[in-house]
Amino acid sequence: MNNLKKISALLLVLVMVFAIGGCSKKPGYSYKTENTTYAEGVYIYSLFSAYNEAYSILQSNLGDKFDSTATILDITSTFDETGEKMLCEDWVKNQADLITRNLAALDETVAELGVTLDKTQVESARELAKEDWYLGPYYEYYVASGYETTSYEDMLSPYGVSFDSFFTSTYLASVKQSAIFDHLYLKDGEEAVSDEELNKYFTDNYTSYAYFIVNLYETTIDAETSQQVYLPYSEELIDGVEAELKGYVKQVNSGTAYEKVVGKYMKAHNISTDPTVKNIEILESSALGEDVLKALETLKEGKATYLRVGDGDTSVMYFVTKFDINDEAEEYLKADGNKHTIIQNLKGEDFQNFLNDITENVEVEANEKVIAKYNPAMFEEF
């Protein structure tokens, strides 16, 4: 992954990044273009983000040899797929420069293309940023789980951070990047994806399937411990489940609709709620278990199969059906969210190249006196 790809991921998954932004007590600028001036805190954010990225990379590269009690800045290592070795301190500073230039490039491109940011999206992003800034990321989850949280304000203000720099460098930057993408590739955009391209990508890459699970065990409460325990079925009961599912497979494979078959299963077992899990997705990105994925990959459309997963007291059987993906295309692509996801998959690499290009070519002035004031060593506490 090149440096700018990491920046893109940073902007798209903001709350997963440990980063900062801010202003000094006497505000100056760190970078500027003809149209925009960036506070010192924007550069501090970039530097801190780069430092944390380097820390994560070195921790992964060094494994058990990584020393969390020592500085990382004097380590020479590789930081991307190029294999080039760099002194960590130099890499962090280079990366901070690149991140800040990317922010400038986004602003210049918004102006150049005449992109209008959606006011509702901007305000929504601002509110999300405030939640993280004043309460901390995942505040509701941590509080509900009984854990204390640390706000970004408390965590980052010692470096002279303001909310505005934090917002500008994270949530607002993400809105700008998304707006540029939409301007280029959505309907009527300069490089809009045609309906034919969408349909082909969908039918070539997506799989439509459904399954339901049959447990091969029963649950009961242990009289002595009052704990729930699992009792595996006897081989005779398992054979009975297998025979039943085998019969359903034959029905689907001979043309009976899956919905009718699952209805028979529900009636036979007095089940009132449909146990079906149905999904349309790219299997390579699926969270399904390996055994079920293998079954789906080899299963023909319009057909069904069953398989046993696991052993002992948690073993189950899956009844799996794959549908004709062509029958799903029209309805699936009606949803704007689904269409947008496919366009992102189709144009993701092109857009990344576009971001690389605008970042490399943006005309920006770096305030070297301000930049020289900040060294990534400021983030190390031992």
Side-chain angles (χ1 to χ4, degrees):
M1 181 180 287
N2 65 30
N3 291 341
L4 195 50
K5 286 185 179 178
K6 293 171 184 173
I7 295 170
S8 180
L10 175 74
L11 295 174
L12 293 174
V13 194
L14 301 169
V15 295
M16 299 301 290
V17 178
F18 187 71
I20 72 168
C23 298
S24 63
K25 292 181 180 178
K26 295 181 179 179
Y29 79 91
S30 56
Y31 287 68
K32 69 178 181 179
T33 64
E34 282 189 12
N35 302 303
T36 310
T37 298
Y38 299 91
E40 291 186 34
V42 171
Y43 177 72
I44 297 171
Y45 160 84
S46 300
L47 191 68
F48 194 83
S49 298
Y51 174 86
N52 279 278
E53 187 178 355
Y55 190 97
S56 179
I57 291 170
L58 290 174
Q59 192 173 39
S60 176
N61 287 352
L62 297 174
D64 293 339
K65 296 180 180 179
F66 182 79
D67 184 358
S68 61
T69 65
T71 180
I72 64 169
L73 298 176
D74 58 5
I75 297 175
T76 298
S77 181
T78 59
F79 293 90
D80 54 40
E81 76 282 355
T82 65
E84 179 185 358
K85 288 189 174 183
M86 290 187 67
L87 182 67
C88 180
E89 182 176 346
D90 292 339
W91 185 88
V92 169
K93 290 178 179 179
N94 288 345
Q95 184 75 348
D97 175 73
L98 187 67
I99 293 171
T100 313
R101 288 176 182 274
N102 179 250
L103 293 172
L106 291 176
D107 284 329
E108 292 299 290
T109 303
V110 165
E112 181 182 338
L113 296 179
V115 173
T116 301
L117 301 183
D118 185 285
K119 291 182 179 179
T120 301
Q121 291 182 5
V122 171
E123 288 310 307
S124 177
R126 190 186 304 277
E127 290 306 309
L128 289 171
K130 285 181 179 179
E131 289 181 14
D132 280 359
W133 182 251
Y134 294 113
L135 299 176
Y138 305 113
Y139 172 78
E140 292 181 0
Y141 169 80
Y142 283 119
V143 169
S145 301
Y147 296 101
E148 294 183 0
T149 63
T150 301
S151 70
Y152 276 120
E153 181 183 34
D154 289 342
M155 181 168 48
L156 309 176
S157 60
Y159 303 115
V161 178
S162 74
F163 170 77
D164 285 342
S165 287
F166 173 75
F167 176 54
T168 297
S169 299
T170 54
Y171 286 87
L172 185 58
S174 181
V175 171
K176 292 171 184 175
Q177 181 170 297
S178 295
I180 294 169
F181 181 92
D182 292 349
H183 178 86
L184 293 174
Y185 303 117
L186 295 193
K187 186 178 181 181
D188 300 326
E190 295 180 11
E191 301 179 45
V193 178
S194 68
D195 291 340
E196 290 75 16
E197 284 181 277
L198 284 172
N199 191 82
K200 185 176 188 308
Y201 184 86
F202 176 73
T203 55
D204 286 350
N205 293 278
Y206 281 70
T207 298
S208 176
Y209 65 88
Y211 68 83
F212 64 83
I213 297 173
V214 182
N215 294 334
L216 299 181
Y217 58 87
E218 61 181 345
T219 59
T220 187
I221 302 297
D222 186 283
E224 295 183 1
T225 65
S226 298
Q227 298 295 314
Q228 183 170 269
V229 293
Y230 301 91
L231 303 176
Y233 281 179
S234 66
E235 288 302 318
E236 183 179 1
L237 284 175
I238 293 174
D239 289 344
V241 171
E242 185 174 9
E244 181 182 11
L245 296 186
K246 187 179 293 185
Y248 294 146
V249 166
K250 288 181 179 179
Q251 290 180 56
V252 171
N253 290 350
S254 63
T256 304
Y258 168 82
E259 291 76 12
K260 189 172 183 179
V261 168
V262 77
K264 292 180 179 180
Y265 169 74
M266 292 171 63
K267 184 176 181 180
H269 296 274
N270 295 315
I271 299 172
S272 59
T273 303
D274 191 340
T276 297
V277 175
K278 186 174 182 180
N279 203 2
I280 299 173
E281 64 177 345
I282 299 175
L283 293 184
E284 292 177 358
S285 305
S286 176
L288 286 172
E290 183 178 351
D291 293 336
V292 181
L293 283 175
K294 285 182 179 178
L296 278 169
E297 287 168 356
T298 57
L299 192 62
K300 293 181 179 180
E301 293 182 340
K303 301 298 181 181
T305 190
Y306 71 91
L307 65 151
R308 181 172 179 175
V309 176
D311 296 303
D313 58 6
T314 57
S315 181
V316 298
M317 279 194 182
Y318 279 78
F319 181 83
V320 185
T321 300
K322 182 189 284 188
F323 303 110
D324 187 340
I325 195 64
N326 292 286
D327 295 339
E328 310 281 356
E330 182 178 356
E331 189 65 28
Y332 188 87
L333 294 174
K334 280 182 181 178
D336 289 339
N338 293 337
K339 185 180 295 186
H340 196 272
T341 297
I342 292 177
I343 293 174
Q344 286 179 323
N345 290 335
L346 267 169
K347 293 298 184 178
E349 185 175 349
D350 289 347
F351 188 56
Q352 191 60 63
N353 291 335
F354 176 83
L355 292 176
N356 289 340
D357 186 60
I358 64 173
T359 300
E360 182 179 348
N361 293 294
V362 65
E363 294 185 7
V364 61
E365 176 190 330
N367 188 339
E368 298 297 343
K369 287 186 178 180
V370 165
I371 292 171
K373 288 165 49 179
Y374 301 105
N375 188 292
M378 64 191 283
F379 306 120
E380 296 191 320
E381 298 179 5
F382 303 111

